């Protein structure tokens, strides 16, 4: 079974997807980390990169790059690199190959629209722009107003090339996480999975 979680930056996708995977005992796929690896390795050909996940660790060609891919510079570069058709094509193919077998919780900005439109459970996580900026600013230890401006630009850039991150995929359940705890959001998604598994 595949649970696909998408939505804009700062909506809580990674935190929620990781917790849902733990709750269901599914494997977690962080597609954003794959784009960050491509950014870190840029200008290497993304189809030659060996990206693997080991629990919460992200490995690039066997090296733990979990911390290296989370820097603001790599985040910025990842958004640029993701806009390149050849990068998207290589990584989408890799993501589809990974989720073809087993039970997965996959998250990303276009997981339910591009990578896995036929996922059994599709959830579109969102939150108010203020809440998204506040969360990301807390995570980065940055100024919320600066983060809000950067996120608006990123949403705009990430919504190009035939995809949008600002509306739910067909058949996806929208879930506004503003004011909800991670546990409440996870419980909601786990209940949705149980419903489908009946």
């Amino acid at each position: 079974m595949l649970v696909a979680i998408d939505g804009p930056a700062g909506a809580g996708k990674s935190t929620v997807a990781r917790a849902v995977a733990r709750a269901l005992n599914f494997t977690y796929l962080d597609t954003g980390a794959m784009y960050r690896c491509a950014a870190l390795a840029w200008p290497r050909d993304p189809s030659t990169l060996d990206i693997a996940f080991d629990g919460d660790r992200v490995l690039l060609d066997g090296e733990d790059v979990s911390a290296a891919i989370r820097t603001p510079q790599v985040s910025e570069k990842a958004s640029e690199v993701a806009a390149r058709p050849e990068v998207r094509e290589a990584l989408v193919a890799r993501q589809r190959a990974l989720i073809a077998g087993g039970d997965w919780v996959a998250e990303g900005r276009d997981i339910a629209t591009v990578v896995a439109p036929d996922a059994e459970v599709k959830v579109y996580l969102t939150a108010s722009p203020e809440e998204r900026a506040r969360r990301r600013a807390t995570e980065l230890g940055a100024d919320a107003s600066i983060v809000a401006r950067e996120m608006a630009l990123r949403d705009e850039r990430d919504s190009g090339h035939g995809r949008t991150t600002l509306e739910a995929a067909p058949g996806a359940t929208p879930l506004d996480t503003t004011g909800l705890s991670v546990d409440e959001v996870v419980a909601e998604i786990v209940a949705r999975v149980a419903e489908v598994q009946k």
Side-chain angles (χ1 to χ4, degrees), residues 29-187:
L29 176 64
D30 179 353
T31 62
M34 296 176 81
Y35 285 100
R36 288 166 178 272
C37 284
L40 190 65
W42 189 257
R44 275 180 56 201
D45 175 354
S47 64
T48 67
L49 302 178
D50 177 18
I51 302 167
F53 298 92
D54 177 20
D56 285 341
R57 296 185 326 141
V58 183
L59 307 175
L60 175 59
D61 297 329
E63 184 190 339
D64 185 346
V65 294
S66 313
I69 62 170
R70 299 291 170 195
T71 66
Q73 296 85 339
V74 172
S75 298
E76 187 57 32
K77 184 73 179 169
S79 186
E80 287 169 30
V81 164
R84 302 180 72 96
E86 73 276 19
V87 174
R88 301 202 56 70
E89 201 177 300
L91 294 186
V92 166
R94 179 82 53 88
Q95 289 155 15
R96 285 181 177 150
L98 279 171
I99 59 179
D103 295 320
W104 289 84
V105 176
E107 60 94 355
R109 287 172 157 240
D110 57 359
I111 197 83
T113 49
V114 176
V115 180
D118 51 357
E120 291 89 340
V121 175
K122 294 189 275 190
V123 178
Y124 179 79
L125 280 194
T126 187
S128 69
E130 299 75 21
E131 176 78 359
R132 290 169 49 215
R134 187 192 60 72
R135 287 177 187 164
R136 187 51 58 88
T138 303
E139 192 183 296
L140 299 172
D143 180 281
S145 60
I146 294 171
V147 171
R149 276 199 304 277
E150 286 170 355
M151 284 175 103
L153 287 170
R154 200 170 146 194
D155 284 339
E156 206 177 299
R157 183 168 55 218
D158 290 353
S159 290
H161 31 271
R163 64 189 191 132
T164 177
T165 62
L166 299 177
E167 54 191 58
T173 305
L175 181 50
D176 189 333
T177 65
T178 308
L180 295 180
S181 70
V182 172
D183 289 348
E184 288 170 320
V185 177
V186 170

